[in-house]
Amino acid sequence: MTSPAADPAPSELEASAPTAATTPATPSTPTVRRISGAVWAALGIVYVVWGSTYLGIRIVVETMPPFLSAGLRFVVAGLLLAGLIAWRQGPSTLRVTRPQLASAALVGLLLLLGGNGLIVLAETSVPSGLAALLVAVVPAWVVVIKAVFGQRPTPGGVVGVLLGLAGLAVLTLPGLSGEVRIGGVLLVVVATLLWSVGSFSSSRIPMPANPFTASAYEMVAGGLGCAALGLIRGEQYGLDPTAFSARSWIALAYLVVFGSLIAFTAYAWLLQSAPLSLVATYAYVNPVVAVLLGALVLDEALTWPIALGGAVVVAGVCLIVSTERRS
């Protein structure tokens, strides 16, 4: 289903980042995309680092308020990235038009306030491994969203979506049985929908041409949104920074540098430089990393609904990616 018309135009990125090369499309020759080494390197970062961020988030919210800590994480990371951009490429690189700024802010709110922020809140009651497995359904939502906008899915994509939704249903069993709070599970599901909408929208609205500039504005906007929601929720009342554990601070620093500054920037670049169906493959690698780390570091239980549901979701995502990339 991914096509040159549906993916970012290379001309929009030539000034700031490498792009995947394509062969001219003819009526008898299908379009062939060559995936560059830079794309695979960025994917590797997103695969491994984001898989570990679920563990980091779980450790942060042990002693820190969810939305205020998320707000601090993204604002600091966004400002650091903006500073690096101004230093390496000049302050003019940060100049954007009002429509571009509004688009970057919207995507930042969808991805970081709606997507990541809700996951942070959910991990106060949901194990990190389960949260990662629930997030793995993102590619299925992407296929559904594309279908709503007229991009017909392949038969394999349809089967993959059905498998993903079936796995999602199995993954909710721990919440239904009382092992975890169902509210936390539903928060993650809503977060995956908002993240999918943000990812889909980013290549269809007037974003800043430089993907790193876009990422900086997205993180600042998303971070401010998280902080504002934290204040609305009253997380500042009774707040005692001296009660924050050392490991929560270390985890927050890890999330700022690796989870946000490095991995989110790589993801933002990929959204403008690679087919969305390829970018979405992180969703079936991250859960494996997250489940292993959750079990090893936090001794999180791997119950049969989590194992079965996770396997079904990953199988569905693999089917979606393998079939959609050939269409």
Side-chain angles (χ1 to χ4, degrees):
M1 178 170 58
T2 301
S3 65
D7 290 315
S11 60
E12 296 174 353
L13 304 171
E14 288 173 352
S16 59
T19 58
T22 59
T23 58
T26 65
S28 59
T29 304
T31 299
V32 178
R33 284 184 176 273
R34 295 176 182 175
I35 307 303
S36 69
V39 168
W40 287 119
L43 277 172
I45 292 172
V46 174
Y47 284 167
V48 177
V49 175
W50 266 2
S52 66
T53 57
Y54 294 93
L55 173 65
I57 290 170
R58 182 70 172 176
I59 293 174
V60 167
V61 297
E62 286 176 347
T63 60
M64 293 181 173
F67 282 106
L68 290 182
S69 63
L72 178 62
R73 166 190 172 184
F74 292 121
V75 169
V76 170
L79 293 177
L80 285 174
L81 179 58
L84 287 172
I85 293 170
W87 174 50
R88 296 295 300 273
Q89 302 181 30
S92 61
T93 311
L94 296 173
R95 293 174 185 168
V96 296
T97 65
R98 287 186 179 181
Q100 289 173 336
L101 180 60
S103 296
L106 174 62
V107 171
L109 289 172
L110 286 169
L111 293 179
L112 302 179
L113 172 59
N116 193 275
L118 292 182
I119 290 173
V120 173
L121 179 61
E123 285 203 40
T124 60
S125 61
V126 173
S128 62
L130 175 58
L133 289 170
L134 290 166
V135 172
V137 80
V138 162
W141 294 135
V142 170
V143 172
V144 172
I145 293 170
K146 283 186 173 183
V148 170
F149 281 84
Q151 293 180 260
R152 189 174 181 179
T154 63
V158 173
V159 175
V161 169
L162 295 177
L163 278 174
L165 295 178
L168 190 62
V170 176
L171 286 171
T172 62
L173 290 178
L176 296 176
S177 65
E179 296 176 37
V180 296
R181 294 181 182 177
I182 188 62
V185 173
L186 295 178
L187 278 175
V188 178
V189 174
V190 174
T192 62
L193 281 168
L194 293 174
W195 185 276
S196 301
V197 172
S199 298
F200 179 81
S201 301
S202 66
S203 61
R204 289 161 175 79
I205 54 179
M207 296 289 289
N210 187 316
F212 303 109
T213 298
S215 181
Y217 285 120
E218 287 168 14
M219 284 193 284
V220 171
L224 291 175
C226 286
L229 185 54
L231 294 176
I232 292 172
R233 295 182 71 242
E235 292 181 359
Q236 72 275 23
Y237 297 119
L239 192 64
D240 182 11
T242 61
F244 299 162
S245 68
R247 77 179 206 157
S248 287
W249 279 115
I250 293 172
L252 183 62
Y254 176 83
L255 292 174
V256 168
V257 176
F258 291 93
S260 297
L261 190 59
I262 296 176
F264 183 76
T265 300
Y267 181 77
W269 178 79
L270 283 168
L271 287 177
Q272 296 191 40
S273 307
L276 182 56
S277 297
L278 176 63
V279 179
T281 58
Y282 78 89
Y284 64 73
V285 178
N286 287 172
V288 177
V289 176
V291 169
L292 290 176
L293 289 176
L296 291 173
V297 179
L298 299 179
D299 198 27
E300 293 179 349
L302 184 60
T303 62
W304 75 262
I306 293 177
L308 177 61
V312 173
V313 167
V314 170
V317 170
C318 289
L319 183 59
I320 289 171
V321 172
S322 63
T323 58
E324 294 296 307
R325 283 185 61 197
R326 292 197 299 265
S327 60

